[in-house]
Amino acid sequence: MSAPLDSGVRRGAEVRCPGCTRFIPSDAACPHCLCGPIAPERYGAARALLKSGVDRFALSARTAALEPAQVDVLAARYASQWGTALRLIEDARRIEARLLQRGFARDLEDTWAALLPMEDDFLAERFAPFSPLPDSLEYLANKAPDLDLRRLAALAWVHEGSASNEARFTVRSLLHEDGRVAVEAMLALTRWHTVFSLRLNPEERERIRVLALGVLDVPELGARAAVAWARVTGQEPTEAVSAALHRGLYGIDADVRFECALCLEDEVEVAQALDSPDARTVTFARRTLSGWGSRRLFDRLKKDGDARFVKEVLSNLPSPPPEGALEALLTVSVHTPGALADQLLPFAKRHPFLSWAPEDLQRWARWARSVLRDLPAETALDFFDWAATPTQGTEPSEEEMEALWCFLEETVHVLERASAKDRIACFRDFAFVRFLHHAGVDEQQRLNAWAREPDSAEALLEALLLFPSRREQAGLVGSDSGHAARLLMAVWEGPGQDRLVAPLSRVARQWGPYSGREALLDAVWQRFQSHPSERGALLTAFAPWRDALWEKQREAEPDALVCFQTWWRVDPEGLYPQAQHLLADMPMDALPRRLRALWDAAEEAVLTRPRTASLSVSKGAWALLNAVESEDPRFLAELEHFESRLPSFEQRVRTTPSPPEESNIHRDFLDDTHDALRMMRERRARLQADAEHEREREIERRVAESRRRDQERQAEDARREAEALQAVQAREREQQDVRARVEALRLLTDVQPQVAPHPLDREVLFPGTALPRLVDYARLLKAMQGGADVLQLFQALGLTPATWATQATAWGQAMVGRMELGVRFAELLGARWA
């Protein structure tokens, strides 16, 4: 079929034209480029001449004129280069066998025939001596020395469906080429194992659509082209496309049938691919049928299913799952080691448990009874968490609750048999909040037992304390708010409480400030009230809540003395804090009773905590000191009582060893107590001295008071005599005043001028005033000139110095304005008045 490897010029009775490299008869001129006939053995020399610039019309003659030796040299050079090309062409033929079209090797051969001969240096640099390339599409697509060969290998690699991103990018670029290469790229990119993992852009989709329509009528490629058109357009197939798809569906090529069945959604034909020897085809068929909700697939799964089958079905299973899917999946799960829990759990979480139909709930319940107890503890808890998740707006029916109890009971069995490590992991899992939410009497008994196991106790107690806040996060706000408290008290109840104290104390200290703690705090407080024997253990276990419990005690009992008697023996902080509360803000009347209670408590506490007891006594001593300084005699009796009890108490403080609980107290505070006692004694001595001094002062005060009263009596007598004398003098002055007023009235009314009357004397110039007429004004002046008492005159007329000045000014102005007034005024003043 081809020329010998050393010439590369003959194919049957034809040879290549040196000018255009087309095949022509060996004894005829080329009808295409019009060069003359050339002997086959001189073909290499002719190509060398043509490359050197010889015109093709003179090529035949120039080739025939070459010397035989020169022809041999040129032919050997050409044959060597052609041998290199044949190696590449052979690799192209191997790749072409994996493509859908033929002719790629022939095109490559024509390309090299047109290129040769070329410079030896260039050929040696580009195509170094190499052995036949490996039969690996990956190697050929990445490392083949020729670009066309790499592109062919990328096409074949994409056809296989395992190509790299670089190879896919190369094939996508070939879509925009012309001819056979573009069609092959279109077919490679739209195969089922390639197209669904690509993100073709609109331009590429349009190019594939155009190419598919162009080869739709080609018998060998029409069905595949119709598949390509359907996949890139996503539209309803046209009549021509549909016809091509149906031709492929009923053809003899199983691969084409499968492709067409996928586009036509033919369940029967796709289901036949479940028996394909190709694992990838089987997997894709399972996923596709699962997405379609195929009952055939679920029957097959129920019959022959395994873990891989289930995983592939679940990957595309719609939600809610079709009829028959759940039954098949649970059937395979029951008969598979491990129950396929890792696959079923994500599937289950897609669909709320309580939204399944009643018959499906029964299937889930039977499945839980069969396999749940054999699963790992955390996995079983996850399934229970899914089953216990409520559906919004609905209340679970009795049937739903029965199915849920199956999960709960089996989860209890799993936790019972789990190792301590797994159980701790479950207790710390957020899903455990739903377990606690649904825990009944039986579950509470198991919680009680687990809490007393040293390994898992702390984790469980932590979950119980966090349960109220986590319940809110889980959407269980509307549930019974007292359930958390009942759980905590159910765990606390019973023997072995001493084993809970230490872990509870650590957990409560770690998770102190969190929401929902109030319900638990109320439960602890009620237990504290109703079980006096447990008060010490409760306060130690819930030490971080001590202040809150103390506030509840203060609210419930306003009497500080009663609170002190209730708490001082059980308070983990010791006697001193209670002594502080006992003595703080108290009325002075209550101090004696409270101090007696404090002395009694200190004498009892000194046997176990001597330094704390001594510190409390010191606190009481200073409080007593403040009371003694108030100078109330009642507290002096308390001082004597304290003095009588202190020596024996001090001896016990000094002789009793201090326990480790007092390691932070570095002294016994007896010196402070003695300082307070010394100051009280000094104060008492001062009070006694002050009392004696006060008695002496009282005697002196009484003597001074007697003297004062005598002096006051003498002063009173003198005052009375002075008042009598003043009264006599006042009467005499009053008589003088009366006489003066009478004289003043006489002067102002009875005295008249001894001159002839004149009309001006009767004329009223200033009506309504004290001196309305000229004669009145002149009479007053005449009386003043006669030595009369001016003030008496003013008083008689109702004048004051200010009004007198006003009147005088007015009369002066009047006399200036009227000359006759001035003349008459002068006559009146010069006359005698009698």
Side-chain angles (χ1 to χ4, degrees):
M1 295 179 62
S2 62
L5 292 179
D6 59 349
S7 65
V9 294
R10 290 194 298 275
R11 179 171 296 182
E14 296 180 339
V15 297
R16 287 186 184 274
C17 170
C20 62
T21 69
R22 293 187 175 91
F23 283 98
I24 60 174
S26 60
D27 57 349
C30 177
H32 304 287
C33 64
L34 304 178
C35 63
I38 299 174
E41 62 274 8
R42 291 180 176 258
Y43 180 80
R47 287 294 300 173
L49 292 175
L50 184 66
K51 285 282 186 176
S52 64
V54 175
D55 187 83
R56 65 177 186 276
F57 296 105
L59 184 61
S60 177
R62 291 286 300 272
T63 303
L66 289 175
E67 295 292 335
Q70 191 174 7
V71 170
D72 293 340
V73 171
L74 295 175
R77 178 186 173 206
Y78 182 82
S80 174
Q81 294 184 359
W82 184 249
T84 299
L86 285 179
R87 294 184 185 180
L88 300 176
I89 295 168
E90 182 61 29
D91 291 323
R93 292 193 182 100
R94 287 191 289 132
I95 296 173
E96 186 180 275
R98 304 186 186 186
L99 301 176
L100 298 178
Q101 301 179 89
R102 297 293 174 263
F104 294 103
R106 173 69 179 273
D107 292 342
L108 184 62
E109 181 180 349
D110 291 345
T111 300
W112 279 101
L115 291 175
L116 297 180
M118 59 179 61
E119 295 293 335
D120 289 337
D121 294 341
F122 176 75
L123 188 66
E125 180 182 352
R126 185 174 177 186
F127 301 98
F130 57 89
S131 59
L133 297 176
D135 191 14
S136 168
L137 293 178
E138 180 179 3
Y139 181 87
L140 292 172
N142 294 324
K143 298 183 180 180
D146 181 65
L147 175 61
D148 292 333
L149 195 61
R150 292 197 297 271
R151 294 165 68 178
L152 287 180
L155 279 171
W157 198 8
V158 173
H159 268 296
E160 287 189 353
S162 60
S164 64
N165 291 332
E166 290 78 6
R168 292 184 181 187
F169 180 79
T170 299
V171 175
R172 291 170 74 165
S173 66
L174 294 179
L175 281 174
H176 304 286
E177 299 287 337
D178 296 326
R180 185 185 296 111
V181 174
V183 173
E184 192 71 25
M186 176 265 295
L187 297 176
L189 291 173
T190 55
R191 300 190 71 167
W192 64 264
H193 47 58
T194 302
V195 68
F196 296 110
S197 61
L198 288 178
R199 293 184 179 179
L200 299 172
N201 57 50
E203 183 181 356
E204 291 171 335
R205 290 180 179 274
E206 178 61 20
R207 178 61 175 167
I208 290 175
R209 188 189 69 82
V210 172
L211 291 173
L213 292 176
V215 296
L216 199 61
D217 296 329
V218 178
E220 299 83 0
L221 305 177
R224 293 185 181 274
V227 169
W229 185 94
R231 284 180 175 156
V232 298
T233 61
Q235 302 173 2
E236 190 69 23
T238 63
E239 183 177 352
V241 173
S242 179
L245 289 174
H246 283 86
R247 286 196 303 270
L249 183 63
Y250 300 112
I252 60 175
D253 190 333
D255 185 54
V256 175
R257 289 201 307 271
F258 182 66
E259 296 271 17
C260 294
L262 291 174
C263 292
L264 295 173
E265 296 188 3
D266 190 313
E267 180 182 340
V268 176
E269 184 63 36
V270 174
Q272 293 180 6
L274 296 175
D275 298 319
S276 173
D278 182 23
R280 288 192 308 166
T281 303
V282 173
T283 298
F284 188 77
R286 290 173 177 174
R287 292 179 176 177
T288 302
L289 292 173
S290 176
W292 293 349
S294 171
R295 189 55 188 261
R296 287 184 175 85
L297 177 69
F298 301 143
D299 293 341
R300 184 70 171 269
L301 173 63
K302 187 176 179 180
K303 179 182 177 182
D304 303 326
D306 56 9
R308 180 178 178 183
F309 200 163
V310 169
K311 184 177 181 180
E312 292 167 352
V313 168
L314 289 176
S315 63
N316 275 15
L317 192 66
S319 181
E323 183 182 357
L326 179 63
E327 182 180 3
L329 291 170
L330 296 183
T331 301
V332 177
S333 172
V334 170
H335 298 95
T336 303
L340 303 174
D342 294 338
Q343 290 79 26
L344 280 181
L345 185 58
F347 159 72
K349 290 184 176 180
R350 292 188 222 162
H351 200 58
F353 177 75
L354 298 181
S355 62
W356 287 91
E359 57 273 14
D360 291 331
L361 286 176
Q362 295 301 319
R363 291 189 179 97
W364 276 114
R366 289 193 296 271
W367 175 85
R369 293 293 189 190
S370 300
V371 305
L372 200 63
R373 66 178 57 190
D374 297 325
L375 296 180
E378 290 187 80
T379 304
L381 184 62
D382 287 338
F383 272 106
F384 172 76
D385 178 58
W386 162 71
T389 301
T391 304
Q392 294 291 337
T394 59
E395 290 293 334
S397 63
E398 184 177 351
E399 294 178 351
E400 292 171 341
M401 291 305 298
E402 289 180 359
L404 176 59
W405 293 132
C406 294
F407 281 85
L408 177 60
E409 292 172 3
E410 295 303 322
T411 303
V412 172
H413 293 315
V414 173
L415 292 175
E416 184 69 25
R417 295 195 305 272
S419 64
K421 179 180 178 182
D422 294 338
R423 192 180 299 160
I424 290 173
C426 290
F427 292 161
R428 290 176 176 170
D429 196 327
F430 188 82
F432 192 65
V433 67
R434 301 196 189 280
F435 180 91
L436 295 176
H437 175 67
H438 290 280
V441 176
D442 295 337
E443 289 75 28
Q444 290 175 10
Q445 293 177 356
R446 299 313 314 149
L447 292 173
N448 187 288
W450 293 335
R452 283 155 177 78
E453 295 181 3
D455 295 330
S456 58
E458 188 166 339
L460 176 58
L461 295 173
E462 177 182 338
L464 288 173
L465 294 187
L466 293 178
F467 174 58
S469 61
R470 286 184 172 179
R471 180 177 56 186
E472 296 178 5
Q473 299 174 22
L476 302 173
V477 180
S479 58
D480 183 8
S481 59
H483 183 60
R486 288 194 295 272
L487 286 178
L488 182 61
M489 290 301 102
V491 170
W492 177 264
E493 187 72 47
Q497 291 176 349
D498 56 311
R499 286 181 280 175
L500 302 180
V501 172
L504 260 177
S505 178
R506 291 193 295 270
V507 173
R509 185 176 298 106
Q510 181 179 0
W511 298 99
Y514 59 86
S515 62
R517 191 187 67 167
E518 291 75 14
L520 302 181
L521 184 62
D522 290 340
V524 174
W525 169 241
Q526 294 174 8
R527 187 80 181 184
F528 181 88
Q529 287 181 304
S530 59
H531 293 73
S533 62
E534 298 178 6
R535 288 175 178 173
L538 285 171
L539 288 179
T540 303
F542 297 97
W545 301 359
R546 176 207 173 271
D547 294 341
L549 293 172
W550 171 249
E551 291 302 323
K552 288 185 175 293
Q553 176 70 53
R554 294 286 296 272
E555 293 174 3
E557 179 54 66
D559 191 343
L561 183 57
V562 175
C563 295
F564 175 79
Q565 297 289 7
T566 304
W567 273 68
W568 76 265
R569 291 183 178 86
V570 297
D571 193 346
E573 295 186 6
L575 176 63
Y576 180 68
Q578 294 302 318
Q580 286 181 306
H581 290 297
L582 179 67
L583 301 176
D585 300 329
M586 61 176 174
M588 298 302 291
D589 294 340
L591 182 61
R593 293 177 59 246
R594 296 190 184 186
L595 287 178
R596 297 289 178 98
L598 178 60
W599 308 147
D600 295 339
E603 288 186 354
E604 185 177 339
V606 74
L607 301 176
T608 54
R609 293 189 177 184
R611 293 182 177 178
T612 302
S614 180
L615 177 60
S616 304
V617 168
S618 175
K619 178 72 174 179
W622 286 98
L624 180 58
L625 171 61
N626 294 331
V628 168
E629 290 180 347
S630 68
E631 302 182 2
D632 192 329
R634 292 176 300 173
F635 302 116
L636 295 178
E638 288 301 319
L639 172 58
E640 294 175 358
H641 177 76
F642 175 65
E643 287 178 316
S644 65
R645 303 183 67 164
L646 182 60
S648 61
F649 175 79
E650 181 179 1
Q651 182 179 3
R652 293 177 184 176
V653 171
R654 296 187 185 280
T655 57
T656 303
S658 178
E661 292 80 0
E662 294 184 335
S663 59
N664 59 333
I665 304 177
H666 305 293
R667 59 193 184 95
D668 55 18
F669 297 96
L670 290 175
D671 293 339
D672 296 349
T673 304
H674 282 291
D675 289 341
L677 180 59
R678 176 180 53 79
M679 286 187 283
M680 283 189 286
R681 288 171 174 171
E682 292 175 355
R683 182 59 177 173
R684 182 174 59 186
R686 286 197 302 271
L687 289 175
Q688 292 174 351
D690 291 344
E692 180 63 23
H693 180 66
E694 183 64 25
R695 188 180 64 81
E696 294 176 356
R697 288 185 60 186
E698 179 64 19
I699 295 173
E700 294 176 357
R701 185 186 65 77
R702 290 179 181 179
V703 173
E705 181 66 19
S706 177
R707 292 175 180 174
R708 183 184 62 78
R709 284 196 298 267
D710 292 341
Q711 293 174 356
E712 288 179 352
R713 188 167 51 252
Q714 295 173 2
E716 181 66 18
D717 294 341
R719 183 182 63 78
R720 289 176 182 176
E721 292 177 357
E723 287 179 352
L725 180 61
Q726 290 176 357
V728 172
Q729 293 175 352
R731 283 193 300 271
E732 291 177 354
R733 284 195 301 272
E734 184 177 356
Q735 293 174 357
Q736 293 176 358
D737 291 340
V738 169
R739 287 193 296 269
R741 282 196 297 272
V742 170
E743 180 65 21
L745 288 174
R746 189 188 66 79
L747 292 176
L748 294 175
T749 56
D750 298 340
V751 179
Q752 297 294 330
Q754 300 300 314
V755 293
H758 193 279
L760 290 177
D761 296 341
R762 297 187 299 272
E763 184 179 358
V764 179
L765 295 179
F766 299 103
T769 61
L771 303 173
R773 296 175 302 176
L774 179 64
V775 66
D776 296 329
Y777 179 61
R779 184 182 288 116
L780 176 63
L781 292 179
K782 197 68 177 177
M784 293 171 63
Q785 289 175 358
D789 191 343
V790 177
L791 294 178
Q792 291 293 335
L793 294 174
F794 282 175
Q795 186 177 4
L797 291 174
L799 289 173
T800 63
T803 55
W804 158 246
T806 303
Q807 290 285 318
T809 302
W811 276 109
Q813 292 176 353
M815 285 184 285
V816 171
R818 294 176 61 180
M819 295 296 296
E820 64 275 17
L821 288 177
V823 173
R824 182 58 183 172
F825 178 69
E827 292 177 355
L828 291 175
L829 289 180
R832 186 177 65 84
W833 290 69

